[in-house]
Structures are given as structure tokens and as C-alpha cells.
Amino acid sequence: MTKVISSEIEPAVRQLADRFQETGWAKELRLQALEAYDVLDLPKQDEGWRNLRLKEVPLDSLIPVGGKKETPEAVCSRIDSEAAGVIVHYNSDVTEIRLNPELEAKGVILTSLQNAIAEYPEKVEKYLGKLYTYKESKFAALHYALRTGGAFLYVPKNVVIDAPFQVFTYGDIPNVGIFNHTLIVAEAFSQITVLEYSGSDLQGGTNIHSGAVEIFPQDGAKITYISLQNFDLGTYSFHPRRALLGRDSEVKWVASEFGGKIARSENTSYVDGDGANSEAVVVFFGSNEQSLDVSASMIHQGRNTTSDIVAKGVMNDKAKTIWRGLGHILPGSKGSSTYQKENSLILSENAKGDAIPGLLIEETDVAGAGHAATVGRIDEAHLFYLQSRGIPLKQAQRMIVEGFFGSVTELIPLENVRAEVQSLVDRKLGW
């Protein structure tokens, strides 16, 4: 088993604490995570981590700090001048922060998480690590021990923002670990959209991304969180995203998972506030020898809460993917409903896809619950029909895949994201 002993990463952990002049609870959190990392083993390949070749993850060669400090052109070219705010996490540092001055005047805060710990400790300590704890796994402990940069977004009460915030994560130095943490607090009746881009260009090298997203919408707040992950095949990515919903609040996840050699993506809503609603729209495409583990979970505790999950995935070449969906209605969550639907399409004889939908209903008074999942190969009759009309095989496959994804991609709220997802699908198909 690949393992890093604490004596090897402890100097880096303490160096980071000194570099950021951390004291009190922030430093203690690092040191507790370091201790947990030393005693935790890699997760077993049980139901929660199946299909992931964890022993090959290069934990023994990573370094926590990279040397490049300027935002790369690959990111600069994608920054939207009309965005509400922009933050760039490049390798191990935040290299750019922009916030619309009008929003800043309204009390909106956008800064690196590290700056927020120093400048707004009372706003950060209350939330950081509450939904994703360092005790969960070896990767969680590593994340909190070596956390750098990241993003903190705070939106005051009643502030409604139409333009999206852009959060970029990008790596191009082999062996540098990316441990960014995004923390979002939206006060009552505020409304925001966050667009997260993740990518890398390692030129044949490898690195690790162990990130996290924690979102806290207060009563009546509405958050749309869109993630577009396209790491190169040298990146091993582990990225839980979680939200705790207040009364009558809404969270919509839109997750597009395309990259990484091994990638584990988790989107979870704790639908705790009465009347709260959460939705998840998920698109994933595995090719080459990728291993993708994609999940969406809705945990209901409030009364009259609702949730819905829609996901579609494609597997090609020798890729292996697993989809896990969960709708869980806890005791006391009366009048609640949860639904999910997932379809996977296999294009190659050597590709493999599994779907594990789950319902756990612990309350008798529910409005509804249901799930459906299918995994199947491309219909040869459809291919034959298109080819018989003079359409080449490759183009015929493209048409079928586009049609397959169409009902999900049309649910993506931003037109430019829909176009980019389509572009990534075309690249996966060799167009």
C-alpha cells in the first residue's frame, strides 16, 4: 500500500501553518488532520470506493507548494469580464481575485479561504469542516493537513446576483498537490450562481487534486453550483461537494465530469430546512482507461422537502465508471419526496459501467419516492439504420450520443456551459 508517514509531510504541514501565520483553531485543525492522516489507511474498495485503483495514487511523491505565481493563459482566456467575481487557484496558490465593486459595496466578500481565516475568522470557523470532516478518509485528512488557497464567498441577506461567480482550479506542475477548499455562505433570501472550472496540463506527469466544497444557504436562499471538470489523464481527483439547506432554500447542482485518470465526484445535499428543495443534473463521460466514480445524494430531514436527480453517462474504450445515487428520507421528514433517474450508454466492448441507485425511506408520511437506472450498449440497429442512409460510423455514433445526452444537457442553465459540455463530448468521440 502506498503510504506517507507523518514524518515526511509534517514539515510541510508546519511550514504552511507558519507561512499563513495560523494560530488557534486553524492551526489546530491542520495538526489534527496530520495526525489522522498518519493513522488512516486508504479506503477499502467496498461499495463506496469500488472501481478506483487507489494503490496507484502517487501519495509518496507529492509536494504541497508549486513555484508558479501568475495566472496561466489557459485560465486568463476563460475569465468572463462580466462575471460577478473571479478567483483562480493555480497549482497551490490563489493567483487572482476579482469582485464587482458594486457587489463589494453591498457587503459581498470574495477572497481566498486563507485570507478569510485571517480577516473574517468568525465567519469561517462556524462553517469550515462542518460538512466534510478530516476524519472521513485518508484523502480528507490530507486535504485539511495541506490545505492552501481555496475560495471564500459570503453573500449578505437579500442580495440577488444574476451574473455568475467563476472559480478556477488549474494545475501544470507534476507532483504538486492541489488542496483547495471552497466555502460559500449565502444569507437569507440571497441568490447566486457559481461556475467552477477544473483542469490541468501536466505534459505526461501526475498530480493529486483533493479538494472540497461546502455550501450553506440560509432560509430562502437559492444557489446554483455548476462544476465542469476536465483534468488531464495525469490527475487523480477526489472532490466532495456538499450543501446544508435552510428553510425554503434551494440548491441546484450541475456536475459535468470528463477528466482525470481516477476521479471521484460527490454531490450531496442535506435537505434539512422545512420546505427546502435540491436538484442535481449530472453528466459524465469516461474514455481511455479512466476510472470515474460519480455520485449524488439527497438526505432529507426537514418537512415537505423535495429533491430530484437526473444523470447520464457514457463509457468508451477501456473506461470504468460507477454511478451512485441516493434518496434518503429520515424519520420526521413528513410530506417529503425524492426521485432519481440515471442512464448509462456503453460504446465499447472493453468499457464497463455500473449504476447503483438507492432509496432509504424511514418515514411513512411521504409525498413520493422513486428511482430508475439503466446501463446498456449502443443499439446496433440504430447504427445500422444511420449507416444505411450514408452516414459514416463515427458520425452515426456522435449523433446517437448527442441525442442521448440531449435531455440532460438542456437542463444546464447557462448556454455557454451547455456549449462547452457538447464540445467536450465531441472531443471524447474524436471530433
Side-chain angles (χ1 to χ4, degrees):
M1 176 181 298
T2 303
K3 179 179 174 68
V4 179
I5 59 173
S6 62
S7 60
E8 292 180 359
I9 70 167
E10 182 175 2
V13 172
R14 296 190 180 278
Q15 179 185 11
L16 288 172
D18 292 341
R19 173 189 175 190
F20 298 128
Q21 298 181 334
E22 289 178 340
T23 59
W25 66 270
K27 184 175 182 179
E28 185 62 22
L29 179 58
R30 277 197 195 277
L31 298 180
Q32 289 174 342
L34 170 65
E35 183 178 353
Y37 177 81
D38 190 33
V39 299
L40 288 170
D41 291 324
L42 288 173
K44 296 180 180 179
Q45 288 188 297
D46 57 10
E47 200 64 61
W49 292 82
R50 61 163 50 180
N51 282 348
L52 298 183
R53 305 179 301 275
L54 298 179
K55 291 184 179 180
E56 72 179 54
V57 179
L59 293 177
D60 55 354
S61 62
L62 68 88
I63 55 177
V65 178
K68 299 181 180 181
K69 304 297 183 182
E70 295 184 1
T71 304
E73 176 57 30
V75 174
C76 289
S77 62
R78 306 189 63 167
I79 293 176
D80 183 357
S81 61
E82 300 299 319
V86 176
I87 190 162
V88 179
H89 187 105
Y90 177 36
N91 292 316
S92 61
D93 291 296
V94 170
T95 56
E96 191 154 352
I97 303 172
R98 302 183 188 182
L99 177 62
N100 185 312
E102 294 181 4
L103 297 179
E104 187 174 6
K106 293 181 179 180
V108 176
I109 299 170
L110 178 65
T111 188
S112 72
L113 183 58
Q114 205 56 56
N115 288 343
I117 290 173
E119 298 175 19
Y120 312 100
E122 73 289 348
K123 284 182 166 60
V124 177
E125 183 180 6
K126 181 179 178 181
Y127 299 102
L128 181 61
K130 299 302 184 290
L131 301 181
Y132 181 57
T133 74
Y134 68 87
K135 298 178 181 179
E136 288 191 27
S137 71
K138 197 171 188 69
F139 296 107
L142 186 69
H143 168 83
Y144 281 102
L146 296 177
R147 175 190 48 77
T148 58
F152 176 68
L153 174 58
Y154 170 82
V155 185
K157 184 178 179 179
N158 295 323
V159 174
V160 176
I161 304 171
D162 294 326
F165 290 86
Q166 290 183 306
V167 178
F168 292 90
T169 302
Y170 191 79
D172 61 5
I173 303 179
N175 301 326
V176 169
I178 302 175
F179 304 104
N180 57 318
H181 193 113
T182 298
L183 179 61
I184 299 173
V185 179
E187 296 289 356
F189 304 106
S190 61
Q191 186 171 334
I192 59 171
T193 296
V194 179
L195 179 53
E196 168 200 294
Y197 293 98
S198 302
S200 57
D201 183 11
L202 299 172
Q203 301 294 320
T206 61
N207 73 358
I208 297 172
H209 170 244
S210 181
V213 177
E214 294 183 297
I215 300 178
F216 296 87
Q218 307 303 313
D219 293 354
K222 297 181 180 181
I223 298 177
T224 299
Y225 195 93
I226 304 171
S227 58
L228 186 56
Q229 186 272 107
N230 190 35
F231 286 120
D232 70 12
L233 293 180
T235 299
Y236 298 82
S237 177
F238 306 90
H239 205 181
R241 306 178 187 95
R242 299 178 183 177
L244 177 64
L245 281 69
R247 184 184 181 93
D248 296 321
S249 66
E250 297 182 12
V251 168
K252 182 172 184 177
W253 303 103
V254 179
S256 304
E257 302 291 335
F258 289 90
K261 186 172 184 179
I262 290 177
R264 188 173 196 265
S265 166
E266 173 202 321
N267 305 274
T268 299
S269 290
Y270 298 96
V271 196
D272 281 16
D274 292 351
N277 170 67
S278 187
E279 301 174 12
V281 176
V282 184
V283 177
F284 57 97
F285 196 141
S287 60
N288 295 296
E289 295 185 356
Q290 286 181 284
S291 293
L292 303 182
D293 183 313
V294 184
S295 68
S297 300
M298 302 293 177
I299 318 296
H300 293 254
Q301 191 161 4
R303 291 173 174 247
N304 302 311
T305 54
T306 57
S307 69
D308 188 66
I309 301 170
V310 180
K312 287 200 173 184
V314 170
M315 289 71 73
N316 201 6
D317 305 320
K318 296 181 180 180
K320 295 181 179 180
T321 70
I322 182 167
W323 160 261
R324 288 177 288 117
L326 175 63
H328 186 181
I329 297 180
L330 292 163
S333 189
K334 297 181 181 297
S336 295
S337 65
T338 181
Y339 295 94
Q340 59 180 286
K341 181 179 180 181
E342 190 275 338
N343 304 104
S344 291
L345 182 64
I346 299 177
L347 303 183
S348 165
E349 292 183 358
N350 296 316
K352 181 181 179 181
D354 290 320
I356 305 178
L359 284 177
L360 183 56
I361 312 301
E362 299 183 272
E363 169 60 51
T364 57
D365 180 9
V366 297
H371 68 70
T374 63
V375 178
R377 298 193 178 278
I378 195 167
D379 193 323
E380 295 295 333
H382 292 168
L383 281 177
F384 177 78
Y385 174 81
L386 293 171
Q387 289 179 280
S388 70
R389 297 303 187 269
I391 299 173
L393 174 61
K394 204 169 184 179
Q395 185 175 350
Q397 287 181 326
R398 181 190 185 192
M399 293 173 66
I400 291 172
V401 171
E402 286 181 350
F404 173 77
F405 275 134
S407 62
V408 174
T409 55
E410 68 182 12
L411 300 176
I412 298 175
L414 297 181
E415 183 177 352
N416 63 323
V417 177
R418 291 196 297 271
E420 184 152 10
V421 168
Q422 183 58 61
S423 176
L424 290 173
V425 169
D426 287 345
R427 286 169 57 185
K428 287 278 191 177
L429 292 169
W431 285 80

